[in-house]
Amino acid sequence: MGSWSTALVLLLVGVTVVYTTPLVNEKQPGQEWPKRGAVLQPSDDKDTETEPETIFEEKSEEEAILDEIPVKTIEDSSEPVKEKQDLDNTDNEVDTIKTKTVVIKSETASPKVDYSGAQLWKVSIEKEGSRNILVRLRRRNQIATWGTNGTAIDVFIKSDSIQNVTRALNKENIPFEVVIEDLQKRIDEENPPLDENEAELQDRRGHRMNWKQYHRLEDIDGFLDYLSKTYPATVSVNAIGKSHEGRELKVLRISNGNPSNKAIFIDGGIHAREWISPATVTYIINQFAENFDGESEDIRKLDWYFLPVMNPDGYEYTHLNDRLWRKNRRPGIAGRGCSGVDLNRNFGYRWGGKGTSSSPCSEIYRGPRAFSEPESRAVYEFFEKSAANYVAYVTYHSYGQYILYPWGYENAVPPDHDDLQSVGDKMASVIQSTGGDYYSVGSSSKLLYPAAGGSDDWAKSQGIKYTYTIELNDKGRYGFVLPTTYIENVAKESLAALRVLAAQVNKE
Ligand SMILES: [Zn+2]
């Protein structure tokens, strides 16, 4: 473990065996993606074959309260009620509520999950013991925890749990504030349809993307294809694999074709409901691809790889079935019904450690083994075959406004953490001067909570120096249901931060 310096050596060796990808027909300079033979990554065997249950402990409930655990979705209600002896005198009510829960299967044809009457609260955790109360409520599926600012936790509550949770918090004098009165109303208002003029403009443009709306996958994929057709000298697209349900995982590259370029890999949409993430990544793609010749030297000197939607099945599912779905769409175990793996717990560095779950019903289910999912596996195999000289990896999530660097698996930092911190600080300050938003910078385990199996830890373990997880807006006013009016400002800020990163890697 931890031999990412070895990985760096292998990566550099790999760069020397560049050959042309057979996937590309027209050999324009910008379309040749450097590839190498399959080079075994250090600790592959170990990470993919280890049976975690025998080695790693489940994260304690106390630690787990800060996880992005969220919505116990309706299909999760088949999870048995645990630890009867822990329940206090509200038990009866809890059971009553559980029996009323409607079980909805996860097929795409199933009706939409309705969040009418569900609320988002900010619950203070400054009083001693308040976290334990929240842990207990969450264990009984009364709440889900979304985000935190250190002094309060954003708590999601289904409509039929509101009475119980109110009583539990009042009883302990724990202060809370209702932030969203009716989540379904927010969901309905979040992504309004375009007016006719705008729709007509889209057709004339050759693609349907804009940054005034959250788009379906078809629009995003169409946009990537449009760019590669329109700018064949600099833009190219390859599918690096397929999702569980057979959707292509499209990576777009922007490059001037110079083989000595350094490379940056950027992804979005690992978590399905974080819609601002693919919106931001596609915004950045648009800026670079449509105006490559006019871009700064720093941008033009780099090879840019973008995977805007790493979890396309989940993304579509949030549009069609459940706006608050987080995981991918791995089918559930027969008879149990809990589907989906948290792709950001499925990557193969220190897989199975803290902040992950072995239960398929959990929102942080890590999967049966590292890279068990076609989506994360495709990314792994892409890196394994790519001979590009990656110097930075950026993955966009939401929410909370954080610039995070490894490690995530443990409260520890890599040896070059000073560099990561100082570049992160520069990015944060340019964000603030661009659009006014404040981002905190630090290692993810320290600033948030430990969570193993993240894509960022894995990228860092492969020797990619500047590895960041960026948690986009907001800080809990809308949470995951960020209105479209925010998209352009959020994306503009992130673009400004990326320019800082580009300048930095070119300097080194
Ligand atoms: Zn996320």
Side-chain angles (χ1 to χ4, degrees), residues 68 271 274 397-398:
E68 273 184 279
H271 289 140
E274 297 165 8
H397 286 253
S398 75

Side-chain angles (χ1 to χ4, degrees), residues 190-431:
E190 178 193 22
N191 194 25
L194 291 180
D195 63 43
E196 274 176 35
N197 290 342
E198 182 62 31
E200 196 186 312
L201 188 71
Q202 287 181 346
D203 290 338
R204 264 185 283 145
R205 223 175 16 216
H207 65 84
R208 289 201 292 269
M209 278 302 283
N210 60 40
W211 289 269
K212 294 172 166 52
Q213 257 196 318
Y214 295 113
H215 291 259
R216 295 286 299 278
L217 188 70
E218 188 190 12
D219 290 1
I220 295 174
D221 284 351
F223 170 62
L224 303 184
D225 292 339
Y226 160 83
L227 289 174
S228 72
K229 278 193 204 101
T230 310
Y231 306 104
T234 47
V235 180
S236 49
V237 175
N238 275 316
I240 63 163
K242 281 186 174 173
S243 66
H244 265 291
E245 294 175 355
R247 293 184 177 90
E248 284 189 325
L249 303 166
K250 286 188 183 230
V251 170
L252 177 140
R253 189 180 80 145
I254 304 175
S255 168
N256 63 9
N258 181 345
S260 64
N261 287 347
K262 294 172 179 171
I264 296 186
F265 190 95
I266 291 169
D267 65 47
I270 290 184
H271 289 140
R273 64 185 167 201
E274 297 165 8
W275 285 2
I276 187 64
S277 160
T280 296
V281 176
T282 50
Y283 180 94
I284 294 163
I285 290 172
N286 188 53
Q287 296 299 308
F288 290 176
E290 291 279 11
N291 185 34
F292 191 72
D293 294 336
E295 266 299 345
S296 69
E297 177 97 21
D298 279 329
I299 303 304
R300 283 185 289 123
K301 251 157 73 164
L302 295 168
D303 287 358
W304 296 89
Y305 290 84
F306 298 94
L307 171 57
V309 190
M310 197 193 289
N311 177 11
D313 296 348
Y315 186 71
E316 285 292 283
Y317 194 74
T318 57
H319 280 270
L320 293 170
N321 300 91
D322 182 351
R323 175 62 189 89
L324 300 176
W325 186 257
R326 165 182 168 94
K327 300 186 282 182
N328 77 347
R329 294 298 301 160
R330 163 190 270 263
I333 300 158
R336 249 203 120 178
C338 291
S339 49
V341 167
D342 182 347
L343 294 176
N344 213 31
R345 303 289 186 276
N346 190 243
F347 279 73
Y349 184 70
R350 304 275 180 150
W351 175 84
K354 290 179 179 174
T356 73
S357 172
S358 59
S359 162
C361 295
S362 168
E363 288 282 17
I364 50 170
Y365 175 45
R366 61 195 175 217
R369 64 196 165 273
F371 295 120
S372 57
E373 302 312 290
E375 298 88 358
S376 50
R377 177 121 213 127
V379 172
Y380 161 77
E381 283 171 358
F382 173 76
F383 273 95
E384 195 181 41
K385 287 177 197 145
S386 173
N389 177 19
Y390 296 103
V391 291
Y393 168 81
V394 182
T395 178
Y396 289 97
H397 286 253
S398 75
Y399 61 91
Q401 296 171 216
Y402 294 102
I403 296 172
L404 306 169
Y405 54 81
W407 300 111
Y409 74 91
E410 180 75 88
N411 197 351
V413 284
D416 56 355
H417 65 97
D418 282 344
D419 298 342
L420 291 163
Q421 178 73 40
S422 89
V423 174
D425 284 340
K426 280 185 207 155
M427 290 196 282
S429 84
V430 97
I431 284 173

Side-chain angles (χ1 to χ4, degrees), residues 430-449:
V430 97
I431 284 173
Q432 192 152 31
S433 61
T434 302
D437 285 320
Y438 177 79
Y439 278 64
S440 312
V441 184
S443 78
S444 53
S445 50
K446 194 176 170 196
L447 226 50
L448 292 180
Y449 40 77

Side-chain angles (χ1 to χ4, degrees), residues 22 27 32 145-146 238 281 308 318 350 443 449 458 466 486 492 506:
K27 289 186 181 136
E32 293 185 20
T145 47
W146 274 15
N238 275 316
V281 176
T318 57
R350 304 275 180 150
S443 78
Y449 40 77
W458 181 75
Y466 289 102
Y486 284 75
K492 218 172 273 173
N506 281 321

Side-chain angles (χ1 to χ4, degrees), residues 70-72 97 114-123 134 137-138 140-146 153-169 176-184 324:
V71 192
K72 276 284 164 190
I97 284 161
D114 184 357
Y115 288 103
S116 294
Q119 297 192 338
L120 186 67
W121 294 6
K122 263 198 195 309
V123 179
L134 294 177
L137 288 167
R138 202 194 59 205
R140 282 150 41 195
N141 292 344
Q142 296 281 290
I143 63 167
T145 47
W146 274 15
I153 290 182
D154 300 336
V155 171
F156 167 89
I157 312 159
K158 278 187 288 185
S159 60
D160 53 9
S161 301
I162 285 170
Q163 231 188 341
N164 269 347
V165 178
T166 307
R167 202 174 307 153
L169 297 186
F176 64 90
E177 174 200 345
V178 180
V179 178
I180 297 178
E181 291 261 4
D182 185 337
L183 216 77
Q184 188 57 48
L324 300 176

